[in-house]
Amino acid sequence: MVESPDTDWTDVRLHVVTGKGGTGKTTVAAALALALAAGGRKVLLVEVEGRQGIAQIFDLPPLPYEERKVAVAPSGGDVYALAVDPEEAMLEYIEMFYGMRRAGRALTKMGIVDFATTVAPGFRDVLVTGKTTEAVRRRGKNGRRIYDAVVLDAPPTGRIARFLNVTQEVAGLAKVGPIKNHSELVNGVVKSRETAVHLVTLLEEMPVQETLDGIGELRSAGLPTGCIFINMVRDSLLPQAALDTAVKARFDPGELVLGLKAAGVADGAQAVAMAEALAEEVAEHAHRTELERAERESLAGAGLKSYDLPLLADGVDLAGLYELAESIRTQGAA
Ligand SMILES: Nc1ncnc2c1ncn2[C@@H]1O[C@H](COP(=O)(O)OP(=O)(O)O)[C@@H](O)[C@H]1O
Ligand SMILES: [Mg+2]
């Protein structure tokens, strides 16, 4: 284990990553885990939605319900991954608290596990979050934590506050006994300063709105908000002055015609047609940039730190994942 580097989130051990579906939750969680592990640390990446997204992203066969090393971080450091299976988590739980492994198996056969997890989704959640917070708290023989950090690829923004607010969700279910004790233990970690809930968004209206709503819900539930990862950010292709002109629809295709001719790209009618098509694209690009600027302003209103992650032109392969991790590190997020 190496000393914690000085980053914006040095004291955080549990990084919960949420966001609207499709914005890059799994991708950002994986990149964050790599970034946190860089330089010789040990990080666990947990997935809870049963999609095997982590295996896919690291180009591996489906993960068993078991912590396994999935990647080596830049300049050393290991990323382990765990795909939590709620049913297995329930059996483990039954064994841990009642010493009834075999009874647990019988309960599965009888469908009671299914029953309990569908009738009481709060119970299912507390098992999954319990598994995660156990990894956060786990210590080795020397008394030191096994993992320097745990990153949770969490449910989407619309469900995150309920998912993490475990004591609330099981309150009606268990007033006393091991479930209550367990949920209070989980709650202790989730609401502590060691936890931060990060939100992934795109600079588009719907995900930004969901992000702002999510932040509001997290805050009213007393859950610790972290940062905003603005994913798939595109570089602006033109200087601001050109964009301003284009937005006001005063972009002159005539100038483009001259430019195309001068560069020897096209001539005559072809140059005119090309210039018109280009002018349209410029206007579109300018319009989008303008909308993105507005979305950025709305996000800033939430008062959280934010980091930009670039849109990777070739999609997210392993190399792309390391590129995102590097971007997270250079911005000081990890
Ligand atoms: N920065 C990025 N650049 C390019 N493609 C991205 C980026 N982030 C995510 N993606 C792609 O977007 C899609 C959704 O990402 P994923 O992480 O699976 O989202 P989620 O977990 O939120 O559903 C995937 O195909 C992923 O490869
Ligand atoms: Mg995902």
Side-chain angles (χ1 to χ4, degrees):
M1 185 148 133
V2 294
E3 286 310 308
S4 304
D6 188 20
T7 69
D8 295 342
W9 308 97
T10 304
D11 299 333
V12 172
R13 283 182 182 271
L14 175 56
H15 297 262
V16 179
V17 180
T18 185
K20 183 172 159 45
T23 56
K25 216 160 34 79
T26 303
T27 305
V28 173
L32 179 60
L34 272 176
L36 289 165
R41 290 155 40 101
K42 190 169 167 180
V43 175
L44 178 68
L45 174 61
V46 181
E47 127 179 276
V48 297
E49 301 231 279
R51 300 227 178 94
Q52 291 289 341
I54 295 177
Q56 260 180 41
I57 216 165
F58 287 104
D59 231 345
L60 296 168
L63 295 169
Y65 181 40
E66 197 179 278
E67 288 156 40
R68 310 218 141 150
K69 187 161 145 181
V70 294
V72 175
S75 32
D78 294 323
V79 176
Y80 283 72
L82 172 70
V84 178
D85 173 343
E87 187 166 290
E88 282 295 326
M90 181 149 178
L91 292 175
E92 211 176 74
Y93 175 84
I94 289 169
E95 179 184 48
M96 191 160 54
F97 288 103
Y98 303 101
M100 297 195 315
R101 187 75 181 171
R102 285 176 54 208
R105 296 283 164 203
L107 291 176
T108 327
K109 276 214 186 96
M110 288 159 65
I112 290 175
V113 169
D114 272 354
F115 174 79
T117 52
T118 42
V119 169
F123 183 46
R124 183 195 172 105
D125 288 350
V126 81
L127 291 172
V128 172
T129 45
K131 189 70 198 163
T132 310
T133 52
E134 182 275 321
V136 175
R137 288 182 296 115
R138 197 186 307 155
R139 291 173 191 274
K141 285 204 182 79
N142 57 7
R144 303 193 74 159
R145 310 250 196 165
I146 298 278
Y147 291 110
D148 295 294
V150 175
V151 179
L152 174 61
D153 178 8
T157 328
R159 239 166 56 71
I160 192 65
R162 284 191 66 176
F163 174 77
L164 293 174
N165 214 3
V166 286
T167 38
Q168 187 67 32
E169 291 302 308
V170 299
L173 211 64
K175 298 249 181 318
V176 290
I179 295 183
K180 182 167 164 52
N181 294 342
H182 180 67
S183 71
E184 278 175 357
L185 196 62
V186 173
N187 193 54
V189 175
V190 166
K191 291 203 171 149
S192 77
R193 295 192 38 199
E194 285 192 339
T195 295
V197 184
H198 308 303
L199 300 101
V200 181
T201 189
L202 309 178
L203 288 177
E204 289 170 12
E205 194 180 338
M206 294 281 288
V208 165
Q209 191 52 52
E210 243 185 66
T211 301
L212 296 173
D213 292 347
I215 293 169
E217 277 174 45
L218 289 167
R219 282 181 174 152
S220 29
L223 292 160
T225 49
C227 69
I228 300 174
F229 286 107
I230 303 177
N231 194 21
M232 306 194 204
V233 173
R234 283 171 280 208
D235 283 337
S236 180
L237 304 172
L238 295 169
Q240 192 58 45
L243 292 173
D244 288 344
T245 313
V247 158
K248 291 178 201 134
R250 280 195 278 108
F251 202 81
D252 183 8
E255 274 181 51
L256 276 173
V257 173
L258 294 178
L260 288 169
K261 283 182 180 164
V265 176
D267 222 335
Q270 202 194 5
V272 174
M274 208 182 255
E276 265 162 20
L278 276 173
E280 208 167 291
E281 267 184 47
V282 170
E284 221 176 86
H285 174 71
H287 185 63
R288 204 189 62 216
T289 310
E290 185 65 16
L291 288 178
E292 287 176 353
R293 202 185 46 74
E295 297 305 341
R296 220 178 247 287
E297 249 166 52
S298 308
L299 285 174
L304 298 184
K305 221 171 182 29
S306 76
Y307 308 97
D308 280 10
L309 296 177
L311 173 73
L312 301 174
D314 302 326
V316 185
D317 56 5
L318 218 45
L321 207 57
Y322 282 87
E323 198 179 319
L324 294 177
E326 181 56 26
S327 169
I328 288 173
R329 294 227 305 148
T330 50
Q331 292 176 78

